[in-house]
Amino acid sequence: MAQWQEVQNLANAYLEQVHQLYAGSALPMAVRQCLAAWIESQNWRQAAEPLSSHARMLFHSLLALLDEHLGSLGMGNEDFMLKHNLRKARRDLQAEFEECPDNLANLVANLLQEERQILRLGQAGGEGGAAPAPSTPPESNREQQIQRRLAEFHAALQEAERAFRHLEDMQDAFDFCFKLYYRPGEDRTNDPQYTQQIQALQAKLQILDRQRREVLAQMQQLLGRSETLRDFLQEELEAWQERQQRACLGAPVDTRLQPLETWFTELGQGLFQLLQLLRALGDLRQKVSYERDPLKAETPLLERRLLELLTYLLRRAFVVEQQPSMPNACKRPLVLRTTSKFSARARLLVRLHDRNHRMEAKIHIDRDPPKIKGFRKFNILTSSTKTLLAGDCPQEGLVCDFQYLTLKEQKDSRSGKGSKGGGEGPLVVTEELHLITFTLAYAYCGLQLELETSTLPFVIISNNNQLSSAWASILWFNMLSCDPKEQQFFSAPPPAPWPRLAEVLSWQFESVAERGLSKDHLLMLAEKLFGSKASPESTVAWPKFSKDGAAGFSFWAWLDGILGLLQEHLKQLWKAGLILGFVSRKQEKKLLKGKRTGTFLIRFSESVLGGVTCTWVEHPESGPPAFRAVVPYTTAELESLALPDIIRDYQLLVEENIPENPLQFLYPNIPRDEAFGPYYSQWQEANLMEQKKYLNRRLIRVSSRQANESWQTEEELVATTENLEMLQLQPSGLGTQEPGGLASLQHGSSGTLQPRESGTLQVASGNLGTLQPSGPGTVQVVAASPEMLQVTSGNLGTLQPSGPGTVQVVAASPEMLQVTSGNLGTLQPSSPGTVQMVATNLGMLQVTSGNLGMLQVVAGSPGTMQPGVSVMQQPGSQVLDPPQLLQVGSGVSELLQPGIRDLKPQLVLQVVPEGQGMLQVGPGAMEPQLVLQLVSEGQGLLQVGPENLGTMQPVAGDTGMLQVGPENLGTMQPVAGDTGMLQVGPENLGTMQPVAGDTGMLHPVPGAVELLPVPEGQGTLPVPEGQGTLLVPEEQGTLPPELRDLEPLPGSLDVQELLQSLENVLQPRSGTLETLEAAELMPDMLEAMDGRLEGLDPGLAGNAALLNPRDPFLPQPEDTALPAVSSLFTTDFPSLHIDASDFQ
Amino acid sequence: MSRKEQETRAGTETMKAEAKIQNNEEEAEELKAKDQRLASVFGVADLKNGAIGLYNVGQSCCLNSLLQVFFMNIHFTGILRRITVPPCAMQKKRNVPYQMLLLLEKMQCGKQKAVSPIDLACCLSEYRVKLFVQHDAAQLFLNLWNLVKKQMKKPELVEELSNLYTICVQEHLACQKCSLETKRNSNMLTLPVPVLDTNSRALRTLEKCLQYFFHPEELTDHNMCFCEQCGRKTPFLQSMKLVHLPQTLTIHLKRFCFEESAYIHKLSHYLPFPQDLDFNAVLTENQCQADDSEKAAWQYELFAVIAHSGSTSCGHYCAYIRSLTECKWYCFNDSEVCQVSWDDVKCTYGHSNLHWGETAYLLIYMKKHPQ
């Protein structure tokens, strides 16, 4: 049907030819039309052969089908003519071909052939008309060719199979007649009938012989065409391999294997089919053979040719799909680190396998190691074999996927002692190339092969700092080597032609930041390498590229530094083309000379590894234009402040001048904010800001320019202060500043540096410990946070570290480090170098100093924060010393907890700093899973800063008792963490009652589900409820109306229960540390309950009595805060709900 | 005698054919009738029915391929159609050109996929071209050509045929001791070019092979020739200069290697050949002995490739032919004919790792601008 359908779709010119073809034909077009499918599915050519009965059979079938068709036509008028025509055609056909149906077969065969011819012309012409120019890309053209050829191949294969079946029939018929008539033993030469029969047999044998030869010819033809296909696929595969190699270098190319896999599989399938056909042909010979039987000589020949072809195809089809690479280094494959996992994958593109045969894949490393002295030998630690199971994701193909491989160097591989690490061999580690070879035992359809393929050479390093030079080797090899297995490449590495190298370098930028190198960039690089313009013949030697360098680093190291900088900080800007990047000084001047003052460009430093700088032009009133550049920013600086923000806020301080931003227009002429506006960071003010309790802050960069200094100014860190109270600046950064400059930067209250918003003091730190906001270098806040480091001082310019280098807050938090000083200048470390807070916490670290000189460091997540050692060891003594700064830290499970060593290790450390030297540590004694208590006293501020997952609980859970008691002047501010889950209360009991002090305020913060603060005494009671927004009580004595019907909880009973349970716990272990701790935890409680509860077990009193009044862990009588606490509990004892189940 | 000389001899070798001509008066009338019929046959043949296959009649793939190359060459068929028809049936049966013409006619007029060359094969077997025997295509080509030439009666046709195929070279032999130089013109039907150099290294391209073929050779040691002037055996420099190239140029790639005398093996390595071949670009000034107009005509394009697959002992021939009228490539595998592309022809370049595939054996180039 297909052919006739296609014929009808031809253009008119070709349709005309078809009409002509049928005009004089004995087969009317009407018949062709109505029996199209049947006609096309018969083998007319074979039927046309002389002496074939096939033709007669077809002839009668045709007539019968016509009759049938006539019968099926309706009685309607529309069919009237058709019926007439068909009837006439039937009569004519019968009359003409009754005698010689062979002619009909020949006629139809020729007609079909002519049709195909016209179709070919028509379709070729049609294509030509649609796309007159041969503009189709050669790849897709080749793709189409392959697909067309594959289709033709399969069609021809089917044709051959049909011919084979015909041959089979023919042979069976002959065999039958032969056995019936041939009687060699009897002498019947005189029998005319016998002679006739023998002659007929002879004729039949002739035809059989011809048919055999014809099938053989068909197979020869098929093999010939498949050889072309083989060459095509081979070409495509080589192109793919080249693409893969280039993709390894970062080139943006398509490395999909799917089309190849489809093609290889189709061809393989066809060839295996052919193989079976060939074997079946051989079987035919077993049944009937004769002198000069063509099968005898030709089938073995064909089979050998076919097997050779198949073997070749299969060997090619085994490819390394994924070159070895470490999982996190997807852009830099082929560099492996010992002990690091890596993966590699091979694929058999011919997706055919025998389900009953287990195919085993193996990998070997360096199967034929090169004869290089000192060449390291490695073992693959993980299993090196893998079985390809049948039905193993058939749609995914035949894949040997080796994951989680690790390499280990063989200890004895370096001979002799003292050679280790010294590199006795002529090659350095990063120039040593290794190979992994995959082998696969393949078996299918009786063909057994050992397939093998190798990865590209890779470099094995043992340390990350070798990564860059290892990658340089990989670049060089894949760029220049013509033999992918040449492991000795670096014994004599060839130089790279500049055009090739330029292309590869451009890929590096493209893969890192999606934008390659422009012509101008390459021009600059060439100049840097060659000192002049590069000609196409210029070459770069390997040492020049990767080893030598006048500046102390090689060309590649320099470039890789820039790549690293781009990758981490400047991706977007580079992609948008805002960074001119590679501009020489000379060129830069040329570009900027004609531009107006304030025009700047961004370029990469040539003297600093991984540095980027801005150069701008100034046209003084007289004299030549001046070009200024900032000392390059490196990752260290950009980590804390992004380049667009630096540019936006950049300030230049000139003596006696108002600071100004000299960066106005990006070269050539784009207003700064227009160019960089989209990249400025949005200041997302936190909740704290909304409450207007804090001042806005912003981090900016300033350069100072002094009259006597050169124009290349140093880079500065800036602190802006609110109200112009105090500003302390200290040059930092690259260590080139002179200390003498400090004084001049002390702007103090002079207010030259205008803060954007009143009431803020901002201290920005660089990435690597650069923040030195104080004058003579007293306070150092060192953060490696990529986002923000804030040291905020209050209104009165209070950031006054006392002595030199005394306070260090070192945080490695990836998110935020906040050091906030209160209003009254309370960040006052007492003695030099005593206080250290080191946090490596993943969440947040907040250091807040309270109003009265309180500093709180709260960390929540287990195992991350490390409190300063000395402080931790003796928290009591520290704490109780009122003027001292308080030190708080939470630690891991194994970390020391002040005073409570025996508790179960899951405990979270709890530390409470306090203004007046009061510290209470209250861990849950029983089931100390999540407990943190923070109590601030007196005038202090209490901040509870929970972490990530709301795990921080300022209250001990299990004992059902938590008391957060801010006192007189205090405010309590629990701060909800990320997930909005803050529980200011014991989870299990569902009630928690923080007690607001007399004049205090309680600010519960959103998130608490079952938070039920109960006001006591004179205090107001904010009752946040449910999951809704929390109520922040502002006035005393009011109760939110909707909560009025909440009944004060009947405390006594619950408290009694609690005490009983406490007693249960305490009693058996009276006098133990635990008791002490329990008492210490809740001294107030004990006290509070003392009078109220009768029937308390005497043991408890005894235990309480055991408390050593001088124990530093216990609240000391002289502590001013202590009475306040106890009074709180005695007078305003909270209601408690205690669930008995909590004690189980 | 040097290797090259032998080849030259082989190229010019002629088959001693019997030419028995019987004048039979009785058949004169029939002759006329046949002539008329033939004329009508030619008319049909000119309709160009396209490429028709030839049935294999028993190891006849080599013959079939050669016949196809002859028949697809319109310059050759132009000559063949003008032959004198032998007068009697007996002669007809034994006349090779006539049988070829009959076969051509059969191929051209019948709308059949393939025809059987059995009559021609039987006719050839009369002349010691055996049936059911694996032939060497180069050898068979020479035999067939010589038979055709021998049995053509008209001298002008013979001359035309010779012109169509004959290569003229001039052999130079120069004594290295004295200045004696002898020249000799010889004619060849094929250029039998080696595919390996003296050190048995594979030559890279067809052009390299041709250059190597025309490269002067020193005859020393036991190859020394007798110099009449010196009166003794002296080393000679033997060189060959190209004088004339025919319309149809046949190049024989010597892929069957006789190195180890008894054992003949096939060299299947990769050897590309161009579609367009300019001898002026291949040969140096010294290697030519021709005037400018002759040289100007040395622009060739590939017309046919006879490719061999298999080994020396058993193999198969097929022919890739570029139809001169349609400018399309066809592949003739006995009875199977199909249209192919240049990519398919390129597959016969050979492959160093594949020994059973098709490799070009005879290359037939056609002059681009017939003189």
Side-chain angles (χ1 to χ4, degrees), chain A residues 789-838:
Chain A
L789 171 68
Q790 279 195 330
V791 176
T792 308
S793 80
N795 296 329
L796 299 173
T798 52
L799 189 59
Q800 293 176 337
S802 59
T806 48
V807 177
Q808 270 199 334
V809 181
V810 182
S813 152
E815 283 182 3
M816 192 168 101
L817 172 67
Q818 272 198 334
V819 178
T820 309
S821 79
N823 294 329
L824 297 173
T826 51
L827 187 58
Q828 292 178 336
S830 57
S831 60
T834 49
V835 180
Q836 268 200 339
M837 276 167 273
V838 182

Side-chain angles (χ1 to χ4, degrees), chain A residues 21 45 48-50 106 110 113-114 117 120-121 142 145 149 152 209-210 213-214 217-225 227-232 234-235 292 297-298 300-301 304-306 308-309 312 316, chain B residues 49 55-61 111-116 132 309-311 314-316 320 326 328 330-347 351 353-358:
Chain A
L21 182 67
R45 191 57 80 193
E49 280 161 17
N106 206 11
N110 285 334
Q113 190 179 334
E114 294 290 331
Q117 179 83 14
R120 213 163 36 225
L121 288 173
R142 176 50 57 94
Q145 271 188 31
R149 277 177 182 271
E152 282 172 5
D209 181 55
R210 171 177 287 194
R213 292 180 190 281
E214 194 158 352
Q218 268 176 315
M219 295 203 166
Q220 293 280 9
Q221 192 73 281
L222 261 173
L223 267 175
R225 302 295 68 75
E227 276 171 15
T228 313
L229 262 171
R230 172 206 71 203
D231 280 8
F232 277 21
Q234 159 102 26
E235 265 172 47
R292 291 194 288 272
E298 293 206 31
L301 172 71
R304 288 194 72 167
R305 191 172 158 193
L306 179 56
E308 187 185 57
L309 183 60
Y312 184 81
R316 289 301 128 129
Chain B
N49 280 307
Y55 282 109
N56 189 324
V57 294
Q59 305 275 35
S60 71
C61 56
K111 284 206 164 192
Q112 278 169 301
K113 181 184 141 194
V115 296
S116 168
F132 313 122
S309 58
S311 67
C314 70
H316 173 75
Y320 290 88
E326 293 172 282
K328 284 177 190 158
Y330 288 91
C331 177
F332 296 82
N333 255 306
D334 292 332
S335 54
E336 281 292 316
V337 183
C338 71
Q339 201 189 319
V340 295
S341 69
W342 170 240
D343 289 309
D344 295 274
V345 185
K346 281 203 288 190
C347 273
H351 201 295
N353 293 331
L354 292 166
H355 307 291
W356 291 82
E358 287 171 6

Side-chain angles (χ1 to χ4, degrees), chain B residues 10 47 93 126 142 168 243 279 321 326 344 348 354 371:
Chain B
L47 286 178
K93 246 187 161 176
E126 300 272 324
L142 297 178
C168 301
V243 177
F279 270 80
I321 304 171
E326 293 172 282
D344 295 274
T348 63
L354 292 166
Q371 278 168 317

Side-chain angles (χ1 to χ4, degrees), chain B residues 19-84:
Chain B
K20 292 180 188 167
I21 303 163
Q22 295 178 347
N23 274 325
N24 198 325
E25 299 283 347
E26 292 172 16
E27 291 182 14
E29 271 192 339
E30 199 186 323
L31 170 78
K32 274 191 179 173
K34 271 275 164 65
D35 269 350
Q36 279 168 356
R37 239 180 290 164
L38 268 179
S40 68
V41 161
F42 294 150
V44 173
D46 286 341
L47 286 178
K48 293 178 216 98
N49 280 307
I52 304 295
L54 288 170
Y55 282 109
N56 189 324
V57 294
Q59 305 275 35
S60 71
C61 56
C62 179
L63 175 66
N64 287 349
S65 301
L66 283 168
L67 286 175
Q68 296 285 11
V69 174
F70 275 120
F71 290 156
M72 293 295 280
N73 184 351
I74 49 175
H75 304 286
F76 176 79
T77 53
I79 297 169
L80 188 66
R81 281 185 186 136
R82 287 184 280 144
I83 57 165
T84 320

Side-chain angles (χ1 to χ4, degrees), chain B residues 129-257:
Chain B
V129 179
K130 285 181 190 154
L131 256 174
F132 313 122
V133 167
Q134 176 94 52
H135 291 280
D136 175 83
Q139 194 60 43
L140 186 61
F141 169 70
L142 297 178
N143 291 348
L144 197 55
W145 190 87
N146 282 316
L147 280 172
V148 170
K149 188 184 157 203
K150 260 271 151 65
Q151 297 182 12
M152 277 184 174
K153 296 293 172 297
K154 297 182 185 168
E156 70 269 22
L157 291 185
V158 172
E159 197 189 333
E160 267 184 61
L161 187 67
S162 300
N163 285 343
L164 188 57
Y165 284 96
T166 322
I167 306 154
C168 301
V169 292
Q170 190 173 57
E171 283 176 276
H172 287 243
L173 267 176
C175 172
Q176 298 293 82
K177 296 288 175 197
C178 60
S179 55
L180 181 73
E181 189 179 48
T182 53
K183 294 177 192 171
R184 186 176 60 183
N185 280 336
S186 31
N187 293 336
M188 309 165 87
L189 272 184
T190 62
L191 283 180
V193 299
V195 295
L196 299 177
D197 65 9
T198 31
N199 302 321
S200 292
R201 275 182 316 217
L203 290 160
R204 289 280 176 78
T205 60
L206 175 68
E207 289 89 335
K208 290 253 157 49
C209 296
L210 287 167
Q211 280 161 358
Y212 183 71
F213 179 74
F214 283 100
H215 195 261
E217 190 184 0
E218 267 193 70
L219 304 177
T220 51
D221 300 330
H222 64 273
N223 276 335
M224 287 196 293
C225 301
F226 183 80
C227 175
E228 290 170 4
Q229 204 160 303
C230 302
R232 60 187 170 96
K233 276 200 166 187
T234 56
F236 269 76
L237 187 71
Q238 186 194 36
S239 59
M240 208 174 322
K241 294 189 179 186
L242 193 55
V243 177
H244 170 74
L245 284 173
Q247 172 67 32
T248 304
L249 169 67
T250 309
I251 297 174
H252 170 203
L253 298 176
K254 297 191 358 179
R255 281 197 180 269
F256 293 104
C257 180

